[in-house]
Amino acid sequence: RADDLRGLWVYLLKYAVQGIITFNLPVGVLGSIAQLTVAVCIYLTYPLILYIPVEILLPDARSHFPSSHPFSVEFWLRTALVLVTFTFAVLVPHIELFIALIGALASSSLALIFPPISYLMVFRTSPIQKMFCCCIIVFGVTGCLFGTLYATKDIVCALSGLPTWRPFPR
């Protein structure tokens, strides 16, 4: 569709595209409703996101802080994790650039690099399957390298005050 291509073009040229997607919405009732919906979704899913770190840290926390109430240690651990992530979000300048760096490393690794490596390690494959898996791995490593390179460059430019390089001239 034409709207998809226009959105891609605007993103590539970085015309007024802000780091947080909801900031790109128009000012008004619909934009405010969308921002409120995203905030509520984050608020409601945050306990689910912290489930794995809490499960990992909770046995050590209970051994260091014995309590007569079984849920008090878990409550304070969850509170501390929320406060730590909130502190990072407030104190780190240009956090969207660091999120882009983490995304470039983690997303390409989890989606394109590790699955074919795991597949090759677990299953016996034909030479064509091996070649296909290797192509996916090369594509993932290339995306990881370029994404990490550009995210790191954007962080350095933002922290040093230099202008950000654009892929296409304005």
Side-chain angles (χ1 to χ4, degrees), residues 151-169:
T152 305
K153 176 199 57 65
D154 286 345
I155 290 170
V156 169
C157 289
L159 294 179
S160 64
L162 297 172
T164 304
W165 176 83
R166 304 277 188 243
F168 300 103

PDB file of all heavy atoms in Angstrom, residues 151-169:
ATOM      1  N   ALA A 151      23.206   1.769  15.960  1.00  0.00           N
ATOM      2  CA  ALA A 151      22.729   2.157  17.287  1.00  0.00           C
ATOM      3  C   ALA A 151      23.865   2.755  18.114  1.00  0.00           C
ATOM      4  O   ALA A 151      23.678   3.764  18.800  1.00  0.00           O
ATOM      5  CB  ALA A 151      22.114   0.958  17.998  1.00  0.00           C
ATOM      6  N   THR A 152      25.048   2.153  18.037  1.00  0.00           N
ATOM      7  CA  THR A 152      26.203   2.684  18.759  1.00  0.00           C
ATOM      8  C   THR A 152      26.597   4.057  18.224  1.00  0.00           C
ATOM      9  O   THR A 152      26.885   4.978  18.995  1.00  0.00           O
ATOM     10  CB  THR A 152      27.391   1.712  18.652  1.00  0.00           C
ATOM     11  OG1 THR A 152      26.982   0.423  19.106  1.00  0.00           O
ATOM     12  CG2 THR A 152      28.565   2.195  19.475  1.00  0.00           C
ATOM     13  N   LYS A 153      26.567   4.206  16.901  1.00  0.00           N
ATOM     14  CA  LYS A 153      26.888   5.499  16.294  1.00  0.00           C
ATOM     15  C   LYS A 153      25.885   6.571  16.727  1.00  0.00           C
ATOM     16  O   LYS A 153      26.286   7.691  17.059  1.00  0.00           O
ATOM     17  CB  LYS A 153      26.898   5.363  14.774  1.00  0.00           C
ATOM     18  CG  LYS A 153      27.133   6.662  14.035  1.00  0.00           C
ATOM     19  CD  LYS A 153      26.702   6.587  12.606  1.00  0.00           C
ATOM     20  CE  LYS A 153      25.279   6.224  12.412  1.00  0.00           C
ATOM     21  NZ  LYS A 153      24.284   7.154  12.889  1.00  0.00           N
ATOM     22  N   ASP A 154      24.604   6.229  16.771  1.00  0.00           N
ATOM     23  CA  ASP A 154      23.591   7.184  17.214  1.00  0.00           C
ATOM     24  C   ASP A 154      23.783   7.571  18.671  1.00  0.00           C
ATOM     25  O   ASP A 154      23.600   8.735  19.041  1.00  0.00           O
ATOM     26  CB  ASP A 154      22.191   6.608  17.009  1.00  0.00           C
ATOM     27  CG  ASP A 154      21.762   6.597  15.554  1.00  0.00           C
ATOM     28  OD1 ASP A 154      22.415   7.297  14.727  1.00  0.00           O
ATOM     29  OD2 ASP A 154      20.786   5.892  15.219  1.00  0.00           O
ATOM     30  N   ILE A 155      24.184   6.612  19.513  1.00  0.00           N
ATOM     31  CA  ILE A 155      24.434   6.914  20.923  1.00  0.00           C
ATOM     32  C   ILE A 155      25.620   7.859  21.052  1.00  0.00           C
ATOM     33  O   ILE A 155      25.562   8.856  21.785  1.00  0.00           O
ATOM     34  CB  ILE A 155      24.662   5.618  21.726  1.00  0.00           C
ATOM     35  CG1 ILE A 155      23.360   4.833  21.851  1.00  0.00           C
ATOM     36  CG2 ILE A 155      25.229   5.922  23.112  1.00  0.00           C
ATOM     37  CD1 ILE A 155      23.534   3.445  22.423  1.00  0.00           C
ATOM     38  N   VAL A 156      26.688   7.576  20.331  1.00  0.00           N
ATOM     39  CA  VAL A 156      27.881   8.440  20.403  1.00  0.00           C
ATOM     40  C   VAL A 156      27.554   9.840  19.900  1.00  0.00           C
ATOM     41  O   VAL A 156      27.935  10.836  20.512  1.00  0.00           O
ATOM     42  CB  VAL A 156      29.051   7.808  19.610  1.00  0.00           C
ATOM     43  CG1 VAL A 156      30.194   8.784  19.443  1.00  0.00           C
ATOM     44  CG2 VAL A 156      29.525   6.535  20.297  1.00  0.00           C
ATOM     45  N   CYS A 157      26.820   9.928  18.793  1.00  0.00           N
ATOM     46  CA  CYS A 157      26.452  11.236  18.252  1.00  0.00           C
ATOM     47  C   CYS A 157      25.556  12.008  19.215  1.00  0.00           C
ATOM     48  O   CYS A 157      25.725  13.208  19.401  1.00  0.00           O
ATOM     49  CB  CYS A 157      25.754  11.087  16.902  1.00  0.00           C
ATOM     50  SG  CYS A 157      26.841  10.581  15.574  1.00  0.00           S
ATOM     51  N   ALA A 158      24.598  11.323  19.840  1.00  0.00           N
ATOM     52  CA  ALA A 158      23.683  11.996  20.755  1.00  0.00           C
ATOM     53  C   ALA A 158      24.392  12.471  22.017  1.00  0.00           C
ATOM     54  O   ALA A 158      24.134  13.571  22.496  1.00  0.00           O
ATOM     55  CB  ALA A 158      22.525  11.065  21.119  1.00  0.00           C
ATOM     56  N   LEU A 159      25.305  11.660  22.546  1.00  0.00           N
ATOM     57  CA  LEU A 159      25.987  12.037  23.782  1.00  0.00           C
ATOM     58  C   LEU A 159      27.078  13.073  23.563  1.00  0.00           C
ATOM     59  O   LEU A 159      27.404  13.824  24.468  1.00  0.00           O
ATOM     60  CB  LEU A 159      26.564  10.797  24.464  1.00  0.00           C
ATOM     61  CG  LEU A 159      25.527   9.797  24.989  1.00  0.00           C
ATOM     62  CD1 LEU A 159      26.215   8.600  25.612  1.00  0.00           C
ATOM     63  CD2 LEU A 159      24.583  10.446  25.969  1.00  0.00           C
ATOM     64  N   SER A 160      27.641  13.122  22.355  1.00  0.00           N
ATOM     65  CA  SER A 160      28.691  14.099  22.081  1.00  0.00           C
ATOM     66  C   SER A 160      28.152  15.369  21.438  1.00  0.00           C
ATOM     67  O   SER A 160      28.893  16.327  21.261  1.00  0.00           O
ATOM     68  CB  SER A 160      29.764  13.481  21.182  1.00  0.00           C
ATOM     69  OG  SER A 160      29.211  13.165  19.918  1.00  0.00           O
ATOM     70  N   GLY A 161      26.881  15.368  21.077  1.00  0.00           N
ATOM     71  CA  GLY A 161      26.291  16.563  20.481  1.00  0.00           C
ATOM     72  C   GLY A 161      26.505  16.671  18.990  1.00  0.00           C
ATOM     73  O   GLY A 161      26.188  17.705  18.392  1.00  0.00           O
ATOM     74  N   LEU A 162      27.057  15.659  18.350  1.00  0.00           N
ATOM     75  CA  LEU A 162      27.271  15.675  16.906  1.00  0.00           C
ATOM     76  C   LEU A 162      25.962  15.382  16.180  1.00  0.00           C
ATOM     77  O   LEU A 162      25.091  14.693  16.712  1.00  0.00           O
ATOM     78  CB  LEU A 162      28.317  14.629  16.518  1.00  0.00           C
ATOM     79  CG  LEU A 162      29.713  14.827  17.088  1.00  0.00           C
ATOM     80  CD1 LEU A 162      30.585  13.619  16.772  1.00  0.00           C
ATOM     81  CD2 LEU A 162      30.331  16.093  16.531  1.00  0.00           C
ATOM     82  N   PRO A 163      25.820  15.887  14.959  1.00  0.00           N
ATOM     83  CA  PRO A 163      24.593  15.556  14.215  1.00  0.00           C
ATOM     84  C   PRO A 163      24.594  14.088  13.817  1.00  0.00           C
ATOM     85  O   PRO A 163      25.634  13.493  13.565  1.00  0.00           O
ATOM     86  CB  PRO A 163      24.656  16.468  12.986  1.00  0.00           C
ATOM     87  CG  PRO A 163      26.098  16.812  12.841  1.00  0.00           C
ATOM     88  CD  PRO A 163      26.689  16.790  14.226  1.00  0.00           C
ATOM     89  N   THR A 164      23.396  13.520  13.761  1.00  0.00           N
ATOM     90  CA  THR A 164      23.235  12.120  13.391  1.00  0.00           C
ATOM     91  C   THR A 164      23.293  11.986  11.884  1.00  0.00           C
ATOM     92  O   THR A 164      22.692  12.770  11.158  1.00  0.00           O
ATOM     93  CB  THR A 164      21.894  11.579  13.911  1.00  0.00           C
ATOM     94  OG1 THR A 164      21.847  11.792  15.312  1.00  0.00           O
ATOM     95  CG2 THR A 164      21.751  10.111  13.632  1.00  0.00           C
ATOM     96  N   TRP A 165      24.030  10.988  11.425  1.00  0.00           N
ATOM     97  CA  TRP A 165      24.144  10.739   9.989  1.00  0.00           C
ATOM     98  C   TRP A 165      22.840  10.172   9.469  1.00  0.00           C
ATOM     99  O   TRP A 165      22.217   9.336  10.094  1.00  0.00           O
ATOM    100  CB  TRP A 165      25.286   9.768   9.744  1.00  0.00           C
ATOM    101  CG  TRP A 165      25.429   9.381   8.319  1.00  0.00           C
ATOM    102  CD1 TRP A 165      26.068  10.076   7.341  1.00  0.00           C
ATOM    103  CD2 TRP A 165      24.919   8.208   7.685  1.00  0.00           C
ATOM    104  NE1 TRP A 165      25.988   9.423   6.156  1.00  0.00           N
ATOM    105  CE2 TRP A 165      25.286   8.263   6.325  1.00  0.00           C
ATOM    106  CE3 TRP A 165      24.178   7.129   8.122  1.00  0.00           C
ATOM    107  CZ2 TRP A 165      24.953   7.277   5.420  1.00  0.00           C
ATOM    108  CZ3 TRP A 165      23.838   6.136   7.224  1.00  0.00           C
ATOM    109  CH2 TRP A 165      24.222   6.232   5.871  1.00  0.00           C
ATOM    110  N   ARG A 166      22.401  10.641   8.313  1.00  0.00           N
ATOM    111  CA  ARG A 166      21.172  10.153   7.679  1.00  0.00           C
ATOM    112  C   ARG A 166      21.543   9.310   6.464  1.00  0.00           C
ATOM    113  O   ARG A 166      22.454   9.656   5.725  1.00  0.00           O
ATOM    114  CB  ARG A 166      20.308  11.324   7.215  1.00  0.00           C
ATOM    115  CG  ARG A 166      19.958  12.304   8.291  1.00  0.00           C
ATOM    116  CD  ARG A 166      18.772  11.796   9.066  1.00  0.00           C
ATOM    117  NE  ARG A 166      18.315  12.818   9.984  1.00  0.00           N
ATOM    118  CZ  ARG A 166      18.312  12.718  11.287  1.00  0.00           C
ATOM    119  NH1 ARG A 166      18.742  11.621  11.833  1.00  0.00           N
ATOM    120  NH2 ARG A 166      17.874  13.664  12.053  1.00  0.00           N
ATOM    121  N   PRO A 167      20.811   8.207   6.216  1.00  0.00           N
ATOM    122  CA  PRO A 167      21.125   7.367   5.068  1.00  0.00           C
ATOM    123  C   PRO A 167      20.851   8.052   3.737  1.00  0.00           C
ATOM    124  O   PRO A 167      21.474   7.748   2.741  1.00  0.00           O
ATOM    125  CB  PRO A 167      20.239   6.142   5.254  1.00  0.00           C
ATOM    126  CG  PRO A 167      19.171   6.581   6.164  1.00  0.00           C
ATOM    127  CD  PRO A 167      19.727   7.663   7.004  1.00  0.00           C
ATOM    128  N   PHE A 168      19.903   9.000   3.732  1.00  0.00           N
ATOM    129  CA  PHE A 168      19.570   9.722   2.513  1.00  0.00           C
ATOM    130  C   PHE A 168      19.646  11.215   2.816  1.00  0.00           C
ATOM    131  O   PHE A 168      19.231  11.655   3.888  1.00  0.00           O
ATOM    132  CB  PHE A 168      18.164   9.388   2.031  1.00  0.00           C
ATOM    133  CG  PHE A 168      17.982   7.928   1.728  1.00  0.00           C
ATOM    134  CD1 PHE A 168      17.314   7.101   2.608  1.00  0.00           C
ATOM    135  CD2 PHE A 168      18.494   7.386   0.558  1.00  0.00           C
ATOM    136  CE1 PHE A 168      17.154   5.762   2.339  1.00  0.00           C
ATOM    137  CE2 PHE A 168      18.323   6.053   0.275  1.00  0.00           C
ATOM    138  CZ  PHE A 168      17.665   5.237   1.165  1.00  0.00           C
ATOM    139  N   PRO A 169      20.166  12.018   1.902  1.00  0.00           N
ATOM    140  CA  PRO A 169      20.224  13.466   2.170  1.00  0.00           C
ATOM    141  C   PRO A 169      18.813  14.064   2.179  1.00  0.00           C
ATOM    142  O   PRO A 169      17.923  13.581   1.511  1.00  0.00           O
ATOM    143  CB  PRO A 169      21.054  14.012   1.014  1.00  0.00           C
ATOM    144  CG  PRO A 169      20.933  12.984  -0.064  1.00  0.00           C
ATOM    145  CD  PRO A 169      20.723  11.667   0.602  1.00  0.00           C
TER     146      PRO A 169
END
